[in-house]
Amino acid sequence: MSTASTPGVVADAAGGPARTGPAGGGARTGPAAAYAAYVAGRLGGAVISLFAVLVTSFFLFRIIPGDPVRAMTHGRPTSPEQLATMRRQFGLDLPLWQQFTDYCGKALTGDLGTSYQFHAPVGELIAQKVPATLLLTGVAVVIYSALGLWLGTRSAWHRGGLGDRIGTGVALTLWSVPSFWLGLLLIIVFAVGIGPVPGMFPTGGMQSGDATGAGQVLDVAHHMVLPVLTLVAVGYAQTLLVMRSSLLDEMGGDYLTTARAKGLRDAVVRRRHAVPNALLPTVTMVFINLGHVAAGSILVETVFSWPGLGGLFYQALSVPDLPLVQGLFLVFAGAMIVMNLIADLLYPLLDPRVGR
């Protein structure tokens, strides 16, 4: 019988045995092709999200009450002709659609415009504040992510115990506490001093004096204690609760029973089998928290007068300084989208079932 008449059978060119394949001559999609399609889909979604952020950042802040030109000239006598000249200078006299197209065109080339109140390029202002924000929120995110993962794992593994009940109760309480309120409380207790507790830390700022070298490092670290403690206290609770919930879902799996039946110690079963399979939801949260490293914490930076992007956003919003507000919003949202994209791309490496 001729192999040509049999669907899904392909004769070897050298006369060897026939190789079977999918009927109709189609090629089976391999893991590499499936992952490539998965990556393409995630990249497409990220691009669409960035465009949505670009549109939102333009229209959202134009509904804020207030006239930027009048805010910039507040307290100074200004004639209507001067106000009209300033509006023309900043392009505020143009139709809204034209302002939007100009904004999109410049943003796609990296030009975020010029700040109304600082009279400097928005990109330069953001670049000046990035190191302070990365230092503060970067240290906080590393600490509370590691702390939340460790405590969440132990809490789930010893569920129902005294440590689990206390840890979960404290986490739920701290998760519900507004960060700015906690920051103000820490300032009152540990910076100003109350009762027998003396003021031990600065009330705000990043450094005091003109110290250099090791003295400057210690001074900055001294100023970081309270804002970092505020961010860690609020942030670790969320990581703990998510990790605990994910691990509890995995603990009833048959593969853990099999691992124990093979004679593996309990600590090995937890570390090598249970925790890796419970990490997917927590990985998403960790990378979203890393996105917050770029965005900073507007409330915490404002409360502690930390010279970062959060404080700059608060200043821009009070005018409103539209180019600066739009640029910061774009940076904040863009950082979140990029970090979420990286988490999505890591999923198939942690769990091969994802993306197939």
Side-chain angles (χ1 to χ4, degrees):
M1 181 178 65
S2 173
T3 58
S5 62
T6 306
V9 178
V10 182
D12 187 271
R19 294 177 286 107
T20 59
R28 180 177 298 175
T29 303
Y35 183 69
Y38 174 80
V39 170
R42 292 299 182 270
L43 287 174
V47 170
I48 294 173
S49 298
L50 284 172
F51 179 75
V53 167
L54 194 66
V55 175
T56 304
S57 66
F58 178 83
F59 290 102
L60 177 64
F61 299 107
R62 275 166 172 73
I63 64 176
I64 299 176
D67 185 346
V69 172
R70 289 194 177 276
M72 285 185 288
T73 58
H74 180 69
R76 292 179 293 176
T78 309
S79 66
E81 292 77 12
Q82 290 174 316
L83 292 175
T85 301
M86 293 183 67
R87 288 193 177 90
R88 186 165 55 253
Q89 177 185 353
F90 293 119
L92 296 174
D93 61 327
L94 298 174
L96 192 61
W97 67 267
Q98 190 171 348
Q99 293 183 44
F100 175 67
T101 54
D102 291 345
Y103 167 68
C104 290
K106 291 180 179 179
L108 292 175
T109 61
D111 182 3
L112 299 177
T114 302
S115 168
Y116 294 164
Q117 58 180 324
F118 297 106
H119 303 287
V122 170
E124 292 183 7
L125 293 172
I126 293 175
Q128 292 171 6
K129 301 294 185 179
V130 163
T133 290
L134 292 181
L135 177 63
L136 176 65
T137 54
V139 170
V141 166
V142 170
I143 293 175
Y144 73 64
S145 295
L147 186 63
L149 287 171
W150 180 66
L151 291 177
T153 300
R154 294 186 63 84
S155 181
W157 205 252
H158 303 286
R159 64 190 183 280
L162 179 62
D164 177 34
R165 293 197 298 270
I166 293 176
T168 304
V170 171
L172 286 170
T173 302
L174 290 175
W175 196 8
S176 62
V177 171
S179 59
F180 73 90
W181 182 85
L182 181 59
L184 290 172
L185 187 63
L186 291 178
I187 289 175
I188 293 172
V189 176
F190 296 107
V192 177
I194 182 171
V197 181
M200 297 177 288
F201 301 100
T203 57
M206 185 174 176
Q207 57 184 355
S208 55
D210 299 322
T212 57
Q216 184 180 17
V217 173
L218 292 175
D219 187 28
V220 173
H222 191 216
H223 283 75
M224 285 178 60
V225 172
L226 293 184
V228 167
L229 182 60
T230 303
L231 292 172
V232 169
V234 176
Y236 100 95
Q238 186 179 16
T239 309
L240 181 151
L241 294 172
V242 171
M243 185 62 193
R244 180 182 182 276
S245 176
S246 300
L247 188 55
L248 286 176
D249 290 340
E250 294 293 331
M251 287 177 62
D254 293 337
Y255 67 96
L256 296 184
T257 304
T258 303
R260 291 189 180 96
K262 291 180 178 179
L264 295 179
R265 290 181 294 120
D266 197 57
V268 176
V269 173
R270 181 182 68 239
R271 186 177 64 253
R272 293 185 182 178
H273 299 279
V275 171
N277 284 287
L279 276 179
L280 287 185
T282 315
V283 164
T284 299
M285 178 168 297
V286 169
F287 274 92
I288 288 176
N289 291 337
L290 289 175
H292 284 302
V293 172
S297 176
I298 298 172
L299 295 176
V300 172
E301 288 190 13
T302 302
V303 167
F304 288 96
S305 302
W306 189 263
L309 294 178
L312 184 64
F313 186 81
Y314 177 79
Q315 288 179 289
L317 202 59
S318 61
V319 173
D321 189 340
L322 294 179
L324 186 53
V325 169
Q326 290 169 177
L328 286 167
F329 183 81
L330 191 61
V331 170
F332 295 165
M336 300 295 292
I337 291 171
V338 169
M339 287 301 164
N340 195 49
L341 174 64
I342 293 175
D344 284 342
L345 298 182
L346 286 176
Y347 278 169
L349 303 180
L350 297 173
D351 187 347
R353 295 170 297 179
V354 178
R356 292 188 178 179

